[in-house]
Amino acid sequence: KQEVTQIPAALSVPEGENLVLNCSFTDSAIYNLQWFRQDPGKGLTSLLLIQSSQREQTSGRLNASLDKSSGRSTLYIAASQPGDSATYLCAVTPGNQFYFGTGTSLTVIP
Amino acid sequence: ETGVTQSPTHLIKTRGQQVTLRCSSQSGHNTVSWYQQALGQGPQFIFQYYREEENGRGNFPPRFSGLQFPNYSSELNVNALELDDSSLYLCASSLNSGHTDTQYFGPGTRLTVL
């Protein structure tokens, strides 16, 4: 069974700092990996989707990389802002369902 | 904000009761997936519906069942509610099945079982 782990579980940084969130998965046979953002008590917002044949995707201040062979992905956030405070989740799919990590709770301090 | 809507927003039930949650998919999407998210955990896949047929199921008992209608909206039904069913229930719609497309999530329904 696919296991998805996210480290760290929580992170607190001052505004303006660049940061990296990590996601690892145990089975490299995946179709894609998605990064999501979740605000407290709310649904998930898709940030980036990386297909298994891709190495990275960028959107604005966000950059996600994928190393399928090692079972790892990183989400890089540049010049963090207080509005980036949320829980960030990664999810992988081998084709039959999505498997989510437990998330990294990010707090950006003004 | 996505075009996926869910109702109700919050719901309180007692143990043993039955509940129905509803989801309207984003326009043009024919696939709906349901997830259960316990506090502090990542979402767990319940099942997916594609063109009115169940198309994959996670590790949930049969008392979790669903429907998808011709307009691709969907219902999640849970019978014989247990205290551990208290969670945020999320639905997500996508353009196609196969779990290869971006999923767009609704705001969720918070279910509390007393």
Side-chain angles (χ1 to χ4, degrees):
Chain A
K1 181 191 167 185
Q2 178 77 264
E3 301 282 346
V4 181
T5 303
Q6 291 188 245
I7 294 173
L11 182 63
S12 183
V13 300
E15 181 178 0
E17 193 161 297
N18 302 325
L19 58 102
V20 174
L21 308 181
N22 297 291
C23 172
S24 62
F25 47 95
T26 54
D27 188 343
S28 62
I30 63 169
Y31 279 127
N32 66 46
L33 181 146
Q34 276 191 254
W35 282 93
F36 294 88
R37 169 190 171 133
Q38 186 174 32
D39 293 292
K42 305 293 186 183
L44 279 65
T45 300
S46 179
L47 298 173
L48 290 165
L49 169 71
I50 309 177
Q51 301 288 357
S52 62
S53 58
Q54 298 174 318
R55 295 300 296 258
E56 65 178 309
Q57 282 286 339
T58 298
S59 176
R61 295 183 294 108
L62 305 179
N63 175 276
S65 68
L66 173 64
D67 184 342
K68 203 173 73 162
S69 61
S70 68
R72 293 181 181 178
S73 175
T74 61
L75 178 66
Y76 174 83
I77 302 177
S80 59
Q81 303 171 356
D84 295 332
S85 298
T87 295
Y88 291 82
L89 295 141
C90 69
V92 297
T93 177
N96 57 350
Q97 63 175 276
F98 277 93
Y99 294 89
F100 281 82
T102 53
T104 294
S105 177
L106 172 65
T107 301
V108 181
I109 304 166
Chain B
E1 195 169 303
T2 73
V4 181
T5 60
Q6 291 186 244
S7 63
T9 305
H10 296 87
L11 201 52
I12 300 175
K13 292 285 188 177
T14 56
R15 196 170 48 183
Q17 285 188 312
Q18 177 265 342
V19 69
T20 297
L21 310 182
R22 295 177 176 81
C23 172
S24 292
S25 59
Q26 187 157 309
S27 177
H29 288 187
N30 58 24
T31 302
V32 173
S33 301
W34 285 92
Y35 294 84
Q36 180 194 64
Q37 186 178 23
L39 201 61
Q41 301 297 313
Q44 299 289 315
F45 176 74
I46 303 174
F47 43 59
Q48 182 189 76
Y49 276 83
Y50 169 65
R51 294 188 174 181
E52 303 180 59
E53 298 288 331
E54 187 178 290
N55 183 47
R57 188 180 183 93
N59 189 26
F60 281 81
R63 59 188 186 85
F64 286 79
S65 63
L67 283 173
Q68 188 178 32
F69 299 99
N71 66 355
Y72 301 133
S73 66
S74 178
E75 287 183 353
L76 164 65
N77 298 290
V78 187
N79 293 321
L81 284 167
E82 301 177 359
L83 297 179
D84 285 348
D85 295 334
S86 295
S87 290
L88 180 67
Y89 288 85
L90 299 163
C91 78
S93 75
S94 54
L95 191 56
N96 289 299
S97 69
H99 306 269
T100 57
D101 295 318
T102 298
Q103 294 197 104
Y104 296 89
F105 281 79
T109 293
R110 173 72 62 186
L111 172 64
T112 301
V113 182
L114 303 176

